[in-house]
Amino acid sequence: MTIKVCVPRDATALSLGADATARAIAAECQRLRQPVQVVRTSSRGLFWLEPFVEVETPQGRVGYGPVEAEDVPGLFAAGFLQGSAHQLAQGNVDAIPFLARQERLCFARAGLTDPLSLAEYEAHRGLRGLRNALGMSPAAVVEEVVDSGLRGRGGAGFPTGIKWRTVAGALGTPKYVVVNADEGDSGTYSDRMVMEGDPFVLLEGMAIAGYATGASYGYVYLRSEYPHAARVLNQAIATLRAADWYGASIQGSGFAFDAEVRIGAGAYICGEETALLESLEGKRGMIRYKPPLPAIKGLFGQPTVVNNVVSLASVPIILDRGGKYYADFGMGRSRGTLPIQLAGNVKRAGLVEKAFGVTLRELIEDYGGGTRSGRPVRAVQVGGPLGAYFDQSLLDLPLDYEALAAKKGMVGHGGIVVFDDTVDMAEQARYAMEFCAVESCGKCTPCRIGSTRGRELIEKIVRGENVARNHRQLLALCDVMENASLCALGGMAPWPVLSALQYFPGDFGLPAGKEPAHVV
Amino acid sequence: MWSELRNLREGVDLGTPPRDGAAVSLTVDGKPVTAPAGSSVMVAAALARCPVPKLCATDTLEAFGSCRMCLVEIQGRKGFPAACTTLVEPGMVVTTQTARLQELRKGVLELYLSDFPAGDVPGGWSELHETMQQTGVTTHPYVAGENHLQAAVDASNPYFLFDPTKCIVCSRCVRACEDIQGTFALTIEGRGFQSKVVASQGECFLDSECVSCGACVQACPTHSLVEKSLFEGGEYRAQSPQA
């Protein structure tokens, strides 16, 4: 009997040598004349174990990791094709605590399937959402998404269904579906995992969005740093066309939908939806003022749905199992699940999809296993480079849009970056301003000039120059950036700075608790 | 040199282009005013004789929203919307002068001044100077920071010169070149603090696609782009009311 061995083809696994591991396994099989099928699957998101090799046994999948090419002969000798014990053995994959305690809705197929096999996708509940949607009225599809409570996973957290309702009601033809796949936040990779590992779920979500809103064409605006995702998506689109799931009349329904991938040019700001649209139109990636909202006047001036990858990839399961099923996960106004990405100084970095409400401490300690360095956690940045830094005292906060906002933080795209007690928070604050200065589109003045002045002020404070005066000026500058900037880049760049000042004043050479850092 | 340019402009710049929609009634600083639908709050404020400070807005170009000087408060809306990009709505209650707005405008203008030649602040006339006067801000608190004050003047064009040290990157020249002249000779190059106006692919004006139409010069609010004749004792100066 041919034994199936799965090796991920995800970029993280590849960067850790998954190709060499897969080749070594194939070579060893040939040498031993063992009938083995090596399948390149998506990744489970257990990145500390990559390359993570899974063997299908009668008892289920048994995992080994991290498996480097040189480990392969030893694994064969130990009988890993039968799931035998080995120092790299992780046991039954479904029983690995990191995975077993997750609620994987969006990532239900992660690690299970060949990303480009439409048959495997269908065998794992794929296309059921779109099938259901095509049997409903477009308005009913919109309401199903509204009922699910799904909010934009890109960062802003705007209700996806409400956005769709606006586009559906907007006058103008054609309309467009644009996927924001410009995943630029530090420590985030869930979009990449969807696109590389389960491209059909995104493309299915796009078609559902098109059906619901009256759009017949979609664009995936993909960051240039994701070449693997580009290849996978393009092949997946071709596969859907060949199978009549994309094209002039999907499955004879009369609904036409098609899409293409467009590659960005390496600008963080093009993850902001209006700059993204400008770039997609072939222009310099500059912020457009709002209103008009892209839902009314978006790509090429037409009504446009702009959704994040994970938002759209969450739609098929909502149309498959119903909005209520999805809404039953979560807390408060944060419904469903969030694919959380653990990164930075953490022992077990990887993807944790959980219902909203899980605390930062559970994520960092229970899932992440604490710091990789073994030193105490000192600071955590949630929600990307513009997210606030939290100290130990805030780790019991639940992951929830409103709970984090109350502490001037944000869920953002679900990235959590952990720092141990060797971190210099003044340097982190300085970096936040520098990041803004480098990535600013240069349109509005608070961001264009303010970020550079902010970096200079922090440098002066750290050097001990006119500390009180420069501190005061920094707070005033942050106020101007926060309240006068055109978009969220300039408006939120002060958040990591102000939170670092508030929780770690000593790192700046400032006395503790002298004055509230947040200017209201 | 600035004093020579004083009062050359006549009339009132409403900030954004006129619209011809049905009349919309609103109040600005307590004064009732009507403006055609589609007009900006900036136009309504100008009509109510409560002009809002502005730098990137001019009524010959569509609103852009970059300078952040025209922030106002609107009842029932959070934050500080820009008057140039916010359209009038019936019954809107707009406030253009509060201590909080003054604080923000001061903060923004200080950022401009932190990268503007200090020697050109006193005695000058330009829309930037007008805005300084309007807001009472002529200095800034930032000491010895990164700047563009060493950038070289481009005097290659026979009719006008471009002094990048006075440029506030409002893009009015770029937009005038695109929207009024249709030449597309100008662009913004670089990101963030490095953003700057360049002709064609970073060439001098004379070697670029520029056709010397002067639309950019007319649009410039700081005299970063300025006619050479103004400094050469030509006719234009003789006609100035100050002469």
Side-chain angles (χ1 to χ4, degrees):
Chain A
M1 196 189 84
T2 305
I3 297 167
K4 193 164 149 186
V5 176
C6 304
V7 184
R9 51 177 288 175
D10 171 278
T12 305
L14 293 180
S15 69
L16 291 164
D19 276 348
T21 301
R23 276 196 304 272
I25 292 171
E28 194 65 7
C29 293
Q30 206 161 27
R31 197 176 68 80
L32 300 172
R33 300 185 190 285
Q34 281 270 12
V36 167
Q37 184 195 7
V38 179
V39 182
R40 301 307 297 272
T41 55
S42 50
S43 168
R44 298 269 186 179
L46 314 176
F47 288 145
W48 75 99
L49 292 175
E50 293 287 4
F52 185 60
V53 178
E54 299 179 32
V55 181
E56 263 190 18
T57 72
Q59 295 77 42
R61 289 226 191 151
V62 178
Y64 297 83
V67 179
E68 294 183 25
E70 66 223 39
D71 300 321
V72 170
L75 281 167
F76 272 82
F80 99 121
L81 291 180
Q82 286 71 47
S84 307
H86 184 275
Q87 58 173 357
L88 298 178
Q90 305 295 328
N92 186 300
V93 177
D94 291 330
I96 294 173
F98 188 92
L99 270 181
R101 286 180 292 145
Q102 296 196 27
E103 285 132 356
R104 288 199 162 177
L105 304 185
C106 182
F107 280 89
R109 281 168 294 272
L112 293 178
T113 55
D114 169 355
L116 285 166
S117 164
L118 190 58
E120 284 190 26
Y121 181 62
E122 280 202 79
H124 289 84
R125 300 187 77 97
L127 294 172
R128 290 168 64 133
L130 179 54
R131 233 183 269 271
N132 285 347
L134 293 175
M136 298 159 69
S137 74
V141 175
V142 170
E143 292 318 306
E144 203 65 46
V145 176
V146 171
D147 292 345
S148 75
L150 177 65
R151 291 166 70 172
R153 301 287 189 247
F158 188 82
T160 305
I162 306 290
K163 191 184 275 186
W164 287 17
R165 204 188 268 162
T166 308
V167 177
L171 297 174
T173 319
K175 296 176 183 178
Y176 296 105
V177 175
V178 171
V179 185
N180 186 342
D182 195 61
E183 185 173 47
D185 283 356
S186 42
T188 63
Y189 42 80
S190 60
D191 290 352
R192 180 180 62 71
M193 285 185 68
V194 167
M195 293 184 288
E196 289 179 359
D198 201 11
F200 294 121
V201 78
L202 171 63
L203 298 170
E204 183 183 349
M206 288 171 71
I208 295 170
Y211 180 76
T213 59
S216 56
Y217 205 80
Y219 291 92
V220 181
Y221 184 89
L222 180 68
R223 69 192 309 234
S224 59
E225 293 85 345
Y226 286 174
H228 303 95
R231 283 195 287 276
V232 172
L233 283 170
N234 280 318
Q235 287 179 44
I237 290 170
T239 302
L240 287 181
R241 280 185 197 136
D244 200 25
W245 282 104
Y246 261 31
S249 174
I250 290 177
Q251 302 294 305
S253 64
F255 168 60
F257 193 82
D258 211 328
E260 67 183 277
V261 177
R262 289 289 187 93
I263 309 292
Y268 178 75
I269 197 61
C270 289
E272 196 283 342
E273 60 178 1
T274 63
L276 184 158
L277 294 173
E278 288 282 300
S279 174
L280 202 48
E281 290 180 7
K283 301 175 191 155
R284 175 182 164 92
M286 297 264 272
I287 302 298
R288 293 177 185 171
Y289 59 81
K290 293 189 279 194
L293 297 169
I296 308 286
K297 204 165 175 248
L299 185 64
F300 303 115
Q302 299 299 119
T304 305
V305 176
V306 186
N307 279 154
N308 166 257
V309 172
V310 170
S311 310
L312 283 167
S314 300
V315 165
I317 194 166
I318 291 168
L319 269 297
D320 173 11
R321 296 184 185 256
K324 189 181 174 303
Y325 172 84
Y326 191 80
D328 280 345
F329 294 86
M331 67 175 278
R333 287 174 50 218
S334 304
R335 310 312 312 178
T337 58
L338 179 72
I340 297 140
Q341 303 124 83
L342 294 179
N345 194 336
V346 64
K347 197 175 286 167
R348 294 191 289 265
L351 184 91
V352 182
E353 183 172 353
K354 281 291 285 180
F356 284 95
V358 60
T359 67
L360 294 172
R361 194 181 301 283
E362 281 174 79
L363 288 165
I364 295 163
E365 292 176 2
D366 299 354
Y367 289 88
T371 62
R372 186 181 164 89
S373 62
R375 303 183 67 94
V377 173
R378 179 151 189 256
V380 178
Q381 190 177 31
V382 184
L386 307 178
Y389 285 104
F390 290 150
D391 71 353
Q392 273 282 354
S393 72
L394 291 169
L395 293 189
D396 291 315
L397 273 179
L399 212 55
D400 165 85
Y401 289 105
E402 280 66 41
L404 290 189
K407 296 289 177 194
K408 269 214 118 141
M410 63 166 171
V411 171
H413 185 47
I416 295 182
V417 181
V418 181
F419 300 83
D420 75 7
D421 62 352
T422 61
V423 67
D424 174 356
M425 293 308 294
E427 173 55 25
Q428 293 303 118
R430 193 198 71 85
Y431 174 72
M433 283 292 186
E434 185 180 26
F435 180 85
C436 180
V438 170
E439 297 294 350
S440 162
C441 80
K443 185 166 175 176
C444 81
T445 310
C447 180
R448 178 172 60 88
I449 303 181
S451 52
T452 293
R453 296 290 170 255
R455 174 179 60 74
E456 291 166 351
L457 286 169
I458 294 169
E459 286 168 355
K460 284 173 188 163
I461 292 168
V462 170
R463 285 201 301 264
E465 291 173 29
N466 286 322
V467 172
R469 182 175 172 278
N470 283 323
H471 181 209
R472 240 186 351 264
Q473 186 56 37
L474 179 60
L475 297 183
L477 171 68
C478 285
D479 174 45
V480 170
M481 290 180 71
E482 212 175 322
N483 290 291
S485 291
L486 178 58
C487 85
L489 177 55
M492 291 172 62
W495 289 22
V497 176
L498 292 172
S499 55
L501 281 168
Q502 180 174 351
Y503 302 122
F504 309 97
D507 289 22
F508 297 81
L510 293 166
K514 196 176 147 220
E515 54 190 305
H518 287 153
V519 180
V520 179
Chain B
M1 75 177 216
W2 295 109
S3 55
E4 297 162 5
L5 309 178
R6 195 180 304 275
N7 295 335
L8 283 183
R9 294 175 71 256
E10 285 174 15
V12 176
D13 185 340
L14 294 177
T16 57
R19 298 285 190 253
D20 57 3
V24 172
S25 299
L26 64 157
T27 64
V28 179
D29 292 341
K31 296 182 197 170
V33 64
T34 59
S39 302
S40 67
V41 167
M42 181 174 275
V43 166
L47 294 175
R49 298 188 184 279
C50 307
V52 183
K54 59 181 165 46
L55 287 171
C56 73
T58 181
D59 56 16
T60 53
L61 295 167
E62 292 298 329
F64 193 58
S66 77
C67 79
R68 315 314 287 169
M69 286 302 296
C70 70
L71 304 181
V72 295
E73 291 176 31
I74 297 174
Q75 209 175 75
R77 295 202 189 181
K78 57 179 183 182
F80 305 93
C84 64
T85 58
T86 307
L87 302 187
V88 294
E89 283 175 22
M92 204 178 231
V93 178
V94 180
T95 312
T96 71
Q97 302 295 334
T98 65
R100 183 72 179 119
L101 287 171
Q102 171 63 14
E103 185 179 31
L104 290 175
R105 289 173 188 158
K106 175 171 175 278
V108 174
L109 197 48
E110 285 173 349
L111 287 172
Y112 279 114
L113 292 178
S114 74
D115 194 17
F116 189 84
D120 284 317
V121 171
W125 189 97
S126 73
E127 286 183 50
L128 174 62
H129 290 84
E130 198 176 56
T131 305
M132 285 188 235
Q133 205 168 29
Q134 201 177 354
T135 49
V137 179
T138 52
T139 58
H140 67 88
Y142 301 97
V143 186
E146 202 180 324
N147 59 66
H148 300 85
L149 300 179
Q150 304 306 317
V153 171
D154 178 354
S156 63
N157 186 288
Y159 310 112
F160 62 85
L161 57 82
F162 174 50
D163 179 355
T165 65
K166 295 195 190 70
C167 178
I168 59 167
V169 200
C170 64
S171 294
R172 271 166 67 166
C173 54
V174 177
R175 291 179 284 142
C177 192
E178 288 176 9
D179 300 349
I180 296 175
Q181 180 64 14
T183 297
F184 300 90
L186 301 180
T187 190
I188 303 287
E189 183 186 270
R191 287 184 203 169
F193 196 74
Q194 308 308 324
S195 303
K196 59 176 184 180
V197 171
V198 297
S200 293
Q201 304 286 312
E203 294 152 56
C204 69
F205 270 79
L206 194 62
D207 292 344
S208 75
E209 270 78 45
C210 170
V211 296
S212 303
C213 76
C216 58
V217 177
Q218 191 177 30
C220 181
T222 66
H223 294 150
S224 174
L225 281 157
V226 66
E227 285 181 51
K228 287 180 171 176
S229 62
L230 292 173
F231 310 111
E232 291 163 357
E235 270 178 36
Y236 208 15
R237 177 160 131 183
Q239 285 170 6
S240 159
Q242 296 291 310

